[in-house]
Amino acid sequence: MSQIVENPKGGCVLAGINSVLCAIKRICPIYHSGPGCCMQTTAADQGVSGHKSSCFVSGVSIPSSNMLEKEVVFGGLNKLRTTIQGSIDIIDADAYFVLTGCTAGIIGDDVVSVTNEFQSKGYQVYPIETPGFAGDSNLGYEIVWNTLIDQVIEKDLPKDEKLVNIFGIVPYHDPFWSGSLEEVDRILSRLGLKVNTFFTKGQDIETIKKCSSAALNIIINPWLFKGPAEKFEEKFGVKSIRIPGNFIGATDTTKFIRSVASALDLDKNLVEEVIASEEEYVYNYLAQSIGVLSWKRFAVVADASNAVGFTRYLANDYSFTPVLVIISEPLFRQEDKERIIKQIEDLEYARPPKVLFLSDQYEINKAILDEEEDISLIVGSSNEREVATLKGAQFILGAFPVNERLVFNRTYTGYRGSLTFTEDIYDNN
């Protein structure tokens, strides 16, 4: 890195890989790294994601070669070999993934040769050669899927025209990932579709192996998963559609349904029946709360996907006025920034807010405090609670990291999630 970042929201790429793998049923990561990497990388994502962590292997329970000076000088493959064998003997997992830390990456240990030894004996042991210094947590999500595409997912399976894969909602890096995937699954199931969420419903490595039979990949994120999506289509012939941000509330969730229906050429009558019943459900509740909430001028600090979702829901569905939106994850491609800005500015009637891309907490706080327009509501992470107090604004905890609340399957996504979001605005009023 070329500069110091205050309070980065997430860990290194190893933290992202760890979080994704630990969210898959009966998967065991194995670290080939120095002591402390297991606990620190777990703490960087799972540890600040609503106090919910993996229940299979997690944190200090993850097997690790614990490389020391001896391994740095003479190489650590023998120690890795015994660590993998010990993991297989003790932990009854369906698959094992060997992750390389910075130490192994620097000295260049040939991890693939060791995993090949175990694969030749019939064990499902796969290498992921990416040291932590290669990037951040979001990159970890893409690296896991690139590995699965290259080494695990099966080719030439018959297509199931009713099966879809969901990508872009990152376990733990989005504290509400479980509930969001459940709501997406609920909505799509009403359309007669079968849904691979990969991280809920007890889906496991066998689900991943067969996911190339899907008719469509649905990416719910404005920028993540570009490379893996292209590789997935090239290798397995499964096309993708991108939903450019989390959909919250009736307006954007209905748009989501119609996008999926168009891509799969679903029965129009069924689609409209589902939309009508879901919208009636939401609007019936919202009609009961008219006049309860006062008008708000709001700011949002969140990852790109949730920043889009929060802004569009509060402006389009609840008629609040957006003032400032800060995308708090590091983005590098200009095309991604333009897509995000377009979604945030394309509001039904509200004036577009100021959009900033800031990942340093000092700069985020300064932008909020220096904003001359009145802000009466801030939706952000635990890191923004203090600045909201200084600004004299109401605060809603809705983005990573989340330190002060327990999150199981709570979500703001979709039709029903928007009701929870609205309740939280009132509850914190």
Side-chain angles (χ1 to χ4, degrees), residues 266-311:
L266 300 181
D267 179 77
K268 293 181 180 180
N269 290 331
L270 172 62
V271 170
E272 293 306 317
E273 287 176 9
V274 170
I275 290 173
S277 66
E278 292 289 339
E279 288 187 347
E280 181 181 11
Y281 182 90
V282 171
Y283 289 137
N284 179 61
Y285 279 108
L286 292 181
Q288 299 175 48
S289 66
I290 290 176
V292 171
L293 289 175
S294 59
W295 175 62
K296 302 284 185 181
R297 300 173 63 87
F298 69 91
V300 173
V301 184
D303 61 276
S305 187
N306 282 309
V308 168
F310 293 142
T311 304

Side-chain angles (χ1 to χ4, degrees), residues 65-255:
S65 61
N66 287 334
M67 300 176 71
L68 299 174
E69 293 176 357
K70 178 182 176 181
E71 285 74 42
V72 174
V73 175
F74 298 105
L77 294 186
N78 287 333
K79 197 170 186 181
L80 173 62
R81 193 174 286 110
T82 59
T83 301
I84 295 174
Q85 187 60 60
S87 303
I88 293 172
D89 293 341
I90 295 173
I91 300 175
D92 182 25
D94 291 338
Y96 306 81
F97 288 82
V98 178
L99 285 54
T100 54
C102 295
T103 307
I106 290 171
I107 67 175
D109 269 356
D110 184 9
V111 173
V112 175
S113 66
V114 178
T115 57
N116 284 343
E117 294 175 17
F118 286 91
Q119 289 180 11
S120 66
K121 298 176 184 178
Y123 296 111
Q124 293 192 65
V125 181
Y126 305 99
I128 302 181
E129 292 189 289
T130 305
F133 55 72
D136 67 357
S137 301
N138 284 317
L139 178 60
Y141 179 79
E142 294 199 346
I143 286 173
V144 168
W145 280 108
N146 278 326
T147 300
L148 295 172
I149 292 168
D150 291 338
Q151 303 183 50
V152 178
I153 300 174
E154 299 175 1
K155 293 181 65 176
D156 302 323
L157 297 179
K159 294 298 180 184
D160 184 342
E161 296 304 318
K162 293 296 183 180
L163 180 63
V164 296
N165 298 323
I166 305 299
F167 298 109
I169 298 175
V170 183
Y172 300 106
H173 202 62
D174 182 342
F176 305 101
W177 61 274
S178 293
S180 296
L181 289 172
E182 288 176 2
E183 174 68 355
V184 172
D185 184 23
R186 184 190 71 82
I187 293 168
L188 294 180
S189 294
R190 290 205 63 191
L191 299 174
L193 298 175
K194 292 177 283 186
V195 185
N196 283 336
T197 67
F198 304 109
F199 307 114
T200 63
K201 303 190 296 185
Q203 294 187 330
D204 55 17
I205 194 71
E206 293 303 315
T207 303
I208 293 171
K209 288 181 179 179
K210 306 298 183 184
C211 73
S212 60
S213 63
L216 183 69
N217 291 333
I218 303 171
I219 306 167
I220 306 174
N221 197 288
W223 70 274
L224 202 60
F225 209 73
K226 178 182 178 181
E230 293 173 350
K231 182 182 291 188
F232 209 108
E233 181 172 359
E234 180 180 348
K235 186 171 183 178
F236 305 119
V238 182
K239 294 185 177 181
S240 300
I241 61 169
R242 181 177 295 280
I243 308 302
N246 187 16
F247 45 90
I248 301 174
T251 301
D252 279 359
T253 308
T254 294
K255 185 180 295 186

Side-chain angles (χ1 to χ4, degrees), residues 315-421:
N316 289 341
D317 292 55
Y318 230 80
S319 301
F320 287 2
T321 299
V323 175
L324 176 66
V325 178
I326 299 176
I327 312 301
S328 59
E329 59 191 355
L331 297 176
F332 305 100
R333 296 187 296 248
Q334 185 60 34
E335 64 186 83
D336 296 331
K337 293 183 179 181
E338 291 173 356
R339 184 183 304 110
I340 293 163
I341 291 171
K342 179 181 178 181
Q343 286 299 304
I344 291 174
E345 291 185 344
D346 184 24
L347 305 175
E348 290 194 358
Y349 51 84
R351 183 190 64 182
K354 182 188 302 181
V355 181
L356 301 176
F357 293 85
L358 302 173
S359 55
D360 183 280
Q361 193 63 45
Y362 172 81
E363 294 180 351
I364 291 171
N365 291 349
K366 188 175 186 303
I368 294 173
L369 292 172
D370 290 349
E371 177 56 52
E372 295 180 356
E373 290 194 47
D374 177 58
I375 296 175
S376 52
L377 169 67
I378 295 177
V379 183
S381 72
S382 293
N383 292 2
E384 283 73 53
R385 183 179 292 278
E386 181 179 2
V387 73
T389 301
L390 295 174
K391 193 71 173 177
Q394 177 191 353
F395 177 73
I396 299 294
L397 182 56
F400 179 88
V402 170
N403 295 325
E404 306 100 309
R405 73 186 308 177
L406 176 65
V407 179
F408 285 137
N409 64 343
R410 190 178 191 83
T411 184
Y412 295 151
T413 297
Y415 292 109
R416 300 193 176 187
S418 70
L419 297 177
T420 302
F421 186 34

